[in-house]
Amino acid sequence: MGPGYFQAMGMTLEQGRAERESDVEDGVPVAWVNETLARTFLDGKAVGKRIRFGRGSDSTWAEVVGVLK
């Protein structure tokens, strides 16, 4: 995934920032979430919050940097 990915997939950035070249596997984990997840689980204020992927010792925390529609 690189710059322009979300646009190419027909997604619109509603809040936060677009993807960057620095958003790679070896970088700081970041995430984009959809509006439903942001509204349902993050009180509609997702940007800047952290979410966890996976369970137990295999889990990874990522900072939400954008909300997509």
Side-chain angles (χ1 to χ4, degrees), residues 4 21 23 30-31 38 53 55:
E21 287 289 336
D23 296 325
V30 295
F53 296 94
R55 293 183 178 200

Side-chain angles (χ1 to χ4, degrees), residues 2 5-6 9 17 22 25 29 33-34 36 39-41 47 50-54 58 62 68-69:
Y5 175 80
F6 296 133
M9 297 301 293
R17 68 168 178 82
S22 60
E25 272 186 45
V33 298
N34 66 26
T36 301
R39 185 177 52 253
T40 304
F41 297 106
V47 176
R50 295 177 71 218
I51 58 175
R52 185 170 71 176
F53 296 94
D58 292 332
L68 299 164
K69 180 175 186 179

